[in-house]
């Protein structure tokens, strides 16, 4: 799910909405320092949106303060959401154009058609 | 990287020989450094050196630190540079040495010895009667060459026909300073290092890795497996990257791969990677065309006639720099290969960008006319005003010289290093 947070559509196209048909949940070792570091580069609202898109029952606070970012429980939740959930099949939808980018076997296909390339 | 650049002072660089003499202010720094250096065989505490075994043995009496300490068990390891010693020859030296020094400590012949003394005889090319120099010292630690063995391409379950060899992958990852908690991107992870060869090394050194690849044939299992005994297995590239990372225990750090055209980047421009380590396509073997091709999920791409403008290979380096300018954080490193025609090469040919400095430029000569260079650039500041890379006109003509170079095998070599020992090359011969 981390990758979905750093991808965008054709022009400005961010954040991409996620439609899923298959989501995998794998266990990944928790690395606190990495999560803290990554949190500084994440678009948090987009991540919340993605979590909603996937229908995950993780309640994420609306806003995060500096203290939230140090909170162990929050960090563990971020770890789960960023690294343990993966969309295996589905699509990413561009908010500007509605263009759908398929995700197949966990790989998002962001390649553009001839006609989209100006 | 570990914050101790000032700790290491180089006293003597290798000069046609493999010996580096340096001082570290802290032995732990040395050990940290060695732990990821694949080009370092081992590190010894330097005692002395001289012109012969006798000379060195006599010099050793100068300091009482230059011998095994009281109660230490010890052994002598004899190494020759430009000369191979037979076992009897080694024993002869060990005996001569220990006799002369009258060392009474107990011998221990395996690696449980408290003190392993290294005796190095370095010879001039062709002159094997007398050594040029003899070094002696106490073994401290080994380098990370075990990683080369661990990541030997021949042992890997899935490889492709352009998988970067283990040593070079680690050198690249080190140049990129891949380390825990970093995020490293390889934007051409499939074309050159199929199934993530470079990324595997980056992950081993601690980085979390992301790849992108535009060739849908690679991503959707249309390309045939290269390793001989995997020919009959059906092949899903993501599963294969997964399997490779999983086999090496670094799956935790594999963040995924994305199908993307480098020219139309899918990454949001507000995100920055810590390092970009890659081997861009050389554009001859894989007909690197601007990926404004149509992608279909069905029919074989080979049957379609791919459209689009010819993408001059040279532009890729400017594009890579501009890409790194956006997507690399300040202090981050861009590491990539660039082929050059030797005769007309000079450093002014290299692409530049106002926000980057060239940190290193290492040449790997492939034959008489062609070499490739591993370039490491560091981003030193954010761009104000969308500054762009500068690509020298002369680079274009240097590349044109490359295209017309008579040795066509070089393209295979450029894309799969070390054709002699790489099993992918062997499989290619079987297939053709």
């Amino acid at each position: 799910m981390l990758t979905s947070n750093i991808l965008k559509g054709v022009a400005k196209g961010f954040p991409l909405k996620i439609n899923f048909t298959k989501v995998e949940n794998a266990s990944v070792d928790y690395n606190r320092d990495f999560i803290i570091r990554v949190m500084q580069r994440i678009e948090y609202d987009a991540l919340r949106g993605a979590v909603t898109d996937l229908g995950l029952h993780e309640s994420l606070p609306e806003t995060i303060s500096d203290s939230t970012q140090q909170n162990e429980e929050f960090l563990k939740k971020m770890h789960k959401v960023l690294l343990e959930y993966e969309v295996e099949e589905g699509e990413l939808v561009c908010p500007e154009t509605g263009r759908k980018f398929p995700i197949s076997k966990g790989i998002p296909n962001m390649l553009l058609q001839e006609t989209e390339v100006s | 990287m570990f914050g101790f650049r000032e700790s290491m002072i180089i006293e003597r660089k290798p000069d046609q020989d493999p010996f580096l003499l340096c001082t570290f202010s802290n032995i732990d720094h040395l050990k940290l450094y060695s732990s990821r250096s694949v080009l370092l065989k081992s590190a010894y505490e330097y005692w002395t050196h001289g012109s012969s075994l006798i000379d060195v043995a006599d010099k050793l009496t100068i300091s009482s630190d230059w011998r095994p300490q009281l109660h230490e068990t010890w052994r002598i390891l004899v190494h020759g540079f430009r000369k191979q010693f037979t076992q009897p020859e080694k024993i002869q030296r060990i005996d001569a040495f220990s006799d002369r020094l009258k060392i009474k400590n107990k011998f221990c012949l395996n690696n449980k010895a408290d003190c392993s003394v290294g005796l190095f005889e370095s010879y001039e090319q062709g002159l094997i009667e007398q050594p040029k120099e003899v070094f002696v010292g106490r073994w401290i630690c080994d380098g990370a060459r075990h990683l080369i063995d661990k990541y030997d391409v021949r042992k890997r379950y899935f490889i492709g026909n352009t998988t970067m060899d283990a040593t070079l992958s680690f050198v690249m990852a080190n140049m990129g300073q891949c380390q825990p908690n970093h995020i490293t991107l390889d934007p051409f992870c499939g074309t050159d290092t199929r199934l993530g060869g470079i990324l595997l090394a980056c992950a081993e050194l601690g980085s979390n890795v992301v790849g992108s690849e535009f060739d849908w044939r690679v991503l959707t299992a249309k390309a045939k497996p290269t390793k001989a005994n995997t020919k009959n297995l059906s092949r899903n590239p993501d599963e294969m990257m997964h399997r490779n990372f999983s086999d090496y225990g670094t799956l935790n750090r594999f963040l995924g791969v994305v199908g993307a055209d480098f020219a139309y980047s899918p990454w949001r421009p507000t995100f920055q990677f810590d390092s970009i380590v890659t081997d861009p396509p050389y554009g001859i073997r894989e007909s690197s065309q601007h990926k404004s091709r149509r992608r279909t999920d069905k029919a074989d791409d080979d049957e379609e006639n791919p459209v689009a403008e010819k993408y001059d290979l040279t532009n890729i380096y400017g594009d890579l720099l501009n890409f790194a300018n956006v997507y690399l954080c300040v202090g981050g490193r861009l590491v990539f290969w660039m082929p050059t025609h030797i005769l007309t090469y000079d450093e002014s040919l290299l692409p530049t960008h106002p926000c980057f400095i060239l940190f290193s430029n290492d040449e790997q000569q492939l034959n008489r006319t062609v070499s490739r260079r591993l370039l490491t650039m560091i981003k030193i500041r954010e761009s104000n005003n969308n500054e762009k890379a500068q690509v020298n006109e002369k680079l274009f003509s240097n590349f044109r010289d490359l295209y017309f170079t008579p040795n066509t095998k070089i393209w295979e070599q450029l894309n799969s290093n070390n054709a002699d020992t790489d099993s992918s090359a062997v499989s290619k011969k079987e297939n053709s």
Side-chain angles (χ1 to χ4, degrees):
Chain A
M1 280 255 292
L2 175 51
T3 35
S4 76
N5 198 271
I6 58 184
L7 289 173
K8 66 156 177 65
V10 182
K12 295 240 174 68
F14 183 84
L16 298 165
K17 182 168 166 16
I18 310 180
N19 295 336
F20 70 96
T21 41
K22 187 169 166 216
V23 174
E24 293 276 321
N25 185 352
S27 148
V28 173
D29 289 347
Y30 173 64
N31 177 348
R32 185 170 189 272
D33 290 333
F34 179 58
I35 300 295
I36 292 179
R37 206 144 185 264
V38 157
M39 283 312 295
Q40 290 160 7
R41 305 184 198 183
I42 288 296
E43 292 282 337
Y44 183 69
D45 291 335
L47 189 65
R48 281 191 84 221
V51 167
T52 317
D53 288 347
L54 292 192
L56 301 178
H57 298 299
E58 303 283 347
S59 62
L60 299 180
E62 253 179 58
T63 51
I64 45 173
S65 59
D66 286 338
S67 62
T68 334
Q69 291 202 49
Q70 298 292 319
N71 176 287
E72 196 65 15
E73 211 190 290
F74 175 74
L75 289 174
K76 289 215 164 109
K77 221 175 244 187
M78 285 293 98
H79 164 83
K80 220 165 141 194
V81 154
L82 286 168
L83 301 180
E84 295 193 337
Y85 286 106
E86 286 301 333
V87 179
E88 281 293 306
E89 306 288 331
E91 47 192 23
L92 295 168
V93 186
C94 176
E96 274 178 315
T97 59
R99 195 328 190 160
K100 294 186 176 153
F101 297 95
I103 304 176
S104 156
K105 299 188 170 98
I107 308 177
N109 180 356
M110 313 300 294
L111 295 163
L112 302 177
Q113 312 279 11
E114 246 171 85
T115 47
E116 290 169 304
V117 170
S118 46
Chain B
M1 176 183 102
F2 293 116
F4 56 77
R5 177 168 288 228
E6 292 73 41
S7 173
M8 175 182 177
I9 300 171
I10 296 179
E11 317 273 355
R12 170 182 147 163
K13 286 187 177 171
D15 174 29
Q16 305 295 316
D17 66 33
F19 305 107
L20 170 71
L21 205 61
C22 58
T23 314
F24 277 84
S25 58
N26 183 323
I27 199 176
D28 290 326
H29 293 169
L30 165 65
K31 289 181 177 171
L32 260 178
Y33 179 92
S34 305
S35 71
R36 34 186 295 166
S37 175
V38 290
L39 298 178
L40 178 72
K41 190 128 184 249
S42 35
Y44 287 76
E45 178 195 332
Y46 168 79
W47 285 348
T48 189
H49 77 284
S51 54
S52 71
L53 210 67
I54 306 292
D55 182 29
V56 155
D58 291 342
K59 281 181 172 152
L60 279 180
T61 55
I62 296 172
S63 166
S64 60
D65 287 333
W66 297 347
R67 54 184 55 231
Q69 298 303 303
L70 215 51
H71 304 310
E72 279 191 318
T73 57
W74 74 310
R75 61 175 177 161
I76 301 179
L77 301 170
V78 179
H79 301 281
F81 173 63
R82 292 209 184 105
K83 179 165 178 165
Q84 291 280 37
F85 291 123
T86 61
Q87 199 57 15
E89 282 174 327
K90 287 190 186 183
I91 291 176
Q92 184 235 334
R93 280 158 172 78
I94 292 173
D95 288 342
F97 196 69
S98 52
D99 284 346
R100 189 125 183 140
L101 285 174
K102 302 189 179 37
I103 293 181
K104 305 277 198 306
N105 298 55
K106 186 156 174 244
F107 266 104
C108 172
L109 293 176
N110 57 32
N111 60 9
K112 302 237 181 5
D114 296 316
C115 173
S116 291
V117 175
L119 197 62
F120 298 87
E121 291 191 16
S122 176
Y123 288 79
E124 291 269 22
Q125 189 66 40
L127 300 169
I128 55 166
E129 292 306 314
Q130 291 293 335
K132 179 176 156 212
E133 306 179 278
V134 179
F135 293 91
V136 66
R138 170 201 287 264
W139 180 85
I140 302 175
C141 61
D142 286 334
R145 289 184 77 76
H146 62 278
L147 290 177
I148 297 175
D149 192 50
K150 179 178 174 188
Y151 279 80
D152 186 348
V153 171
R154 283 165 293 189
K155 292 183 180 165
R156 205 174 300 166
Y157 197 58
F158 285 118
I159 57 173
N161 53 354
T162 58
T163 299
M164 177 74 56
D165 97 329
T167 312
L168 289 180
S169 300
F170 278 102
V171 170
M172 293 177 80
N174 270 323
M175 295 310 295
Q177 303 226 302
C178 292
Q179 56 188 277
N181 304 329
H182 269 206
I183 303 182
T184 300
L185 171 72
D186 179 354
F188 304 100
C189 70
T191 46
D192 52 286
T193 55
R194 296 229 167 142
L195 311 166
I198 291 174
L199 292 180
L200 283 171
C202 295
E204 172 74 33
L205 295 182
S207 245
N208 299 274
V209 300
V210 185
S212 75
E213 167 56 42
F214 78 79
D215 189 338
W216 201 244
R217 290 171 302 170
V218 178
L219 288 172
T220 58
K222 292 296 186 333
K224 296 198 185 72
T226 325
K227 198 163 189 185
N229 64 358
T230 56
K231 257 202 288 229
N232 295 322
L233 297 175
S234 70
R235 175 168 144 130
N236 173 348
D238 185 55
E239 276 166 13
M240 285 181 295
M241 275 182 109
H242 242 268
R243 170 73 190 256
N244 277 337
F245 282 94
S246 164
D247 284 351
Y248 288 115
T250 50
L251 190 58
N252 279 326
R253 297 196 278 277
F254 174 54
L255 298 176
V257 72
V258 170
D261 182 349
F262 179 66
Y264 301 103
S265 164
W267 311 108
R268 63 168 160 89
T270 45
F271 181 80
Q272 295 187 324
F273 295 91
D274 296 291
S275 47
I276 297 173
V277 182
T278 191
D279 183 18
Y282 297 121
I284 298 298
R285 211 168 139 268
E286 285 135 9
S287 66
S288 133
Q289 293 172 348
H290 222 316
K291 281 318 138 196
S292 39
R293 289 163 55 160
R294 193 175 356 200
R295 297 288 150 197
T296 57
D297 291 334
K298 40 181 175 85
D300 211 296
D301 270 342
D302 289 333
E303 288 163 0
E304 285 189 352
N305 205 358
V307 179
E309 335 123 35
K310 276 272 183 259
Y311 180 46
D312 192 329
L313 165 71
T314 333
N315 284 322
I316 215 168
Y317 300 103
D319 288 354
L320 188 56
L321 269 173
N322 290 328
F323 179 90
N325 185 38
V326 176
Y327 294 107
L328 202 55
C329 58
V330 173
R333 294 185 171 204
L334 169 65
V335 181
F336 63 101
W337 286 100
M338 195 177 86
T340 52
H341 188 264
I342 294 177
L343 298 174
T344 49
Y345 167 80
D346 76 70
E347 204 172 292
S348 65
L349 284 181
L350 298 177
T352 58
H353 190 293
C355 300
F356 285 80
I357 51 162
L358 177 68
F359 178 73
S360 85
N361 173 0
D362 300 303
E363 183 184 19
Q364 179 190 28
Q365 187 160 355
L366 296 169
N367 68 19
R368 251 175 311 150
T369 47
V370 183
S371 63
R372 62 177 175 175
R373 289 169 178 277
L374 185 62
L375 300 169
T376 304
M377 303 189 72
I378 307 183
K379 182 173 171 185
I380 50 170
R381 62 177 173 85
E382 288 296 352
S383 172
N384 37 29
N385 239 346
N386 203 17
E387 291 154 281
K388 294 290 184 198
Q390 254 123 26
V391 180
N392 193 322
E393 276 298 314
K394 289 195 276 174
L395 190 64
F396 288 81
S397 44
N398 185 274
F399 279 10
R400 230 163 280 134
D401 295 340
L402 269 183
Y403 297 165
F404 294 113
T405 194
N407 184 351
T408 51
K409 271 221 177 77
I410 202 58
W411 304 117
E412 295 193 352
Q413 260 186 294
L414 278 175
N415 284 304
S416 70
N417 182 62
N418 208 348
D420 295 350
T421 55
D422 189 346
S423 62
S424 63
V426 171
S427 306
K428 268 200 300 252
K429 284 179 197 145
E430 287 174 21
N431 286 336
S432 55

